[in-house]
Every structure is written in structure tokens, then in C-alpha cells.
Amino acid sequence: MGRKPRLTVLGKQGAGKGTQAARLAAHYDIAHISTGDMFRAQAAQGTAFGLEAKRFMDAGELVPDEIVIGVIEECTVPGGPLGGGFVLDGFPRTLNQARELDRVLAGAPLDLAIDLEVPTEIVLDRIAGRRVCENCQRVYHVNLPPTHDWTCDTCGGPVRQRADDTEEAVMRRLELYETETRPILDYYRAHDLLVTVDGVGEGDDVFERLVKVVDEHAAA
Ligand code: ADP
């Protein structure tokens, strides 16, 4: 394979972006950049920035664009994760963020925007059962827990329900997905960058579908 792929994975909350982006990152040896994970890590450390982001996250609101874009811009420093191959997870989430991403990527643009498509009734079920490692963010489900007593199989961290996976916050996030994030699909379609991948089914099957489209479109 030649140049490393430069990807973003779009999709509703619970579509499997985080799980699949981590697998894509390992498969292609590229950086996994999750804005949600970055904010949660900062919040866990109790930094002023993290605590501010947490207020928005726990309410199911979007973190304001200028904060998110600032975080992404930091990833473009020389040697930073946006310099080589990468998979963005949870960014962009507004049309403004998509435009800003094009600006910060200037000379080395995205190869592909992948819409991981899952019907709302299925994501609601997934999120209700979702449990996440507070340390490394690995995602589990009540039906597919870690081997030992809710400690993470990867790092031994505590596996818990996310503070923003309450029914109220989830409904708000899905509403914001429709109004703020869905318009991005048209933006990428117009730039001939959009592919849709069916996100329903076994994780391994979804991953195979993803690798197929990336190999076809982005990893020439
Ligand atoms: P989910 O996709 O289930 O909402 P994430 O971990 O991707 O989970 O995001 C969690 C929260 O972090 C969001 O609800 C939002 O508050 C904040 N966030 C993450 N990425 C962005 C972004 N690009 N723009 C604004 N807010 C964001």
C-alpha cells in the first residue's frame, strides 16, 4: 500500500464510529483522533478546559465550534497526528467544522468521508447497553461485557456507563445529529468524498465492509 488513508467516520451516536475507527487505525497503522475521547480524557484530568467541555457533553449539547476546532488545529503541528494518515471519529459534526477541517488540512486533504449508517431504533438499543472503559475508552455492551467483573480486557480500567448516555442526553444528541451533522453528508457528497457503509450486523462484518471501501477509494 502507498500513502496512508486520511479518513473521517460519520454516523449517529451508537453507530459504532469509535469501535470501528479504533480498528481502522490499527489496520492501516494510522492515528485515531476522537474529539469525544479527547474531551473525556481532559475532563477526567479535571483541567479547566475539560470541565468546560464536560458541561456540554453531559447535557448532550455540542461543544462550541471554536473549542473543537482549536483542538483539531493543535493536531496539525509538525509531527502531529493530522500530518500523516488518520481516522477522525466524531469530527466534523457541524458544517462549519467540515469547512474548517478543509482549511486546516489545506495541502493534504481528506481522502474519504464514511457514513456509517444504522437506523435510530438500533442505535438507541446499543446506547442503552453501552459501557465504556474510563481509562482507554474501549467500548463494551451489557450483552458483551469484559471477561472479569467490569474491568477492561485491554487495560484493566473500570468499565462504566458514560455520563452522557442518559435517555435525555441521548435524545438531544440524536436531534443535534439530524440538524447539525446530517447536512455534512451533502457537503461531502458534493465534494465526491462520501461513501455510505451499512453499520448493522456483527462488528467483524462491518469492519470488512469498511476496509473494502477504504482499499477501493483511499488506500491506492
Ligand atoms: P457520541 O458520538 O456517542 O455522541 P462522542 O464520544 O463522539 O460520542 O462525543 C461525546 C460528546 O462530545 C458529544 O455529545 C459532544 O458534546 C462532544 N463532542 C465530540 N465531538 C464533538 C464535535 N466535533 N463538536 C462538538 N462537540 C463534540
Side-chain angles (χ1 to χ4, degrees):
M1 192 173 72
R3 199 172 58 72
K4 303 263 190 194
R6 302 159 66 81
L7 314 168
T8 180
V9 181
L10 308 166
K12 289 182 196 112
Q13 290 65 25
K17 296 185 300 284
T19 306
Q20 297 294 346
R23 295 182 67 168
L24 287 169
H27 182 82
Y28 291 106
D29 189 23
I30 55 180
H32 175 196
I33 305 172
S34 160
T35 40
D37 286 355
M38 289 189 215
F39 294 144
R40 276 188 291 277
Q42 289 280 329
Q45 285 172 30
T47 65
F49 164 80
L51 294 177
E52 195 189 349
K54 187 170 162 46
R55 280 198 301 126
F56 292 100
M57 293 170 76
D58 286 357
E61 297 298 328
L62 291 175
V63 174
D65 274 358
E66 58 275 19
I67 298 183
V68 191
I69 291 161
V71 165
I72 288 295
E73 236 167 348
E74 281 171 24
C75 297
T76 62
V77 296
L82 282 174
F86 58 80
V87 53
L88 286 162
D89 157 14
F91 186 92
R93 246 179 232 239
T94 65
L95 207 45
N96 182 38
Q97 289 179 15
R99 296 202 179 101
E100 287 294 309
L101 178 63
D102 284 350
R103 180 181 63 78
V104 301
L105 291 179
L110 274 183
D111 295 315
L112 203 60
I114 303 170
D115 176 24
L116 194 55
E117 198 172 61
V118 177
T120 300
E121 60 273 21
I122 295 183
V123 301
L124 285 173
D125 186 57
R126 287 184 185 175
I127 297 174
R130 171 156 77 180
R131 301 292 181 270
V132 179
C133 172
E134 285 185 355
N135 183 41
C136 77
Q137 315 286 334
R138 180 167 164 185
V139 180
Y140 297 87
H141 191 275
V142 283
N143 298 333
L144 216 64
T147 321
H148 297 292
D149 198 25
W150 296 103
T151 53
C152 179
D153 290 340
T154 304
C155 75
V159 176
R160 305 233 166 89
Q161 184 159 35
R162 265 169 48 176
D164 62 342
D165 276 354
T166 60
E167 200 179 330
E168 209 183 351
V170 169
M171 293 318 285
R172 178 64 183 146
R173 276 146 68 208
L174 286 170
E175 186 180 307
L176 285 169
Y177 177 80
E178 294 302 326
T179 56
E180 301 296 320
T181 308
R182 194 175 282 288
I184 298 179
L185 301 184
D186 286 334
Y187 177 83
Y188 285 129
R189 197 175 286 121
H191 287 75
D192 221 6
L193 288 177
L194 187 74
V195 290
T196 301
V197 169
D198 180 6
V200 180
E202 292 292 321
D204 287 352
D205 295 335
V206 175
F207 182 62
E208 242 177 63
R209 290 173 209 147
L210 286 166
V211 167
K212 191 160 171 269
V213 297
V214 174
D215 285 349
E216 255 170 45
H217 295 271

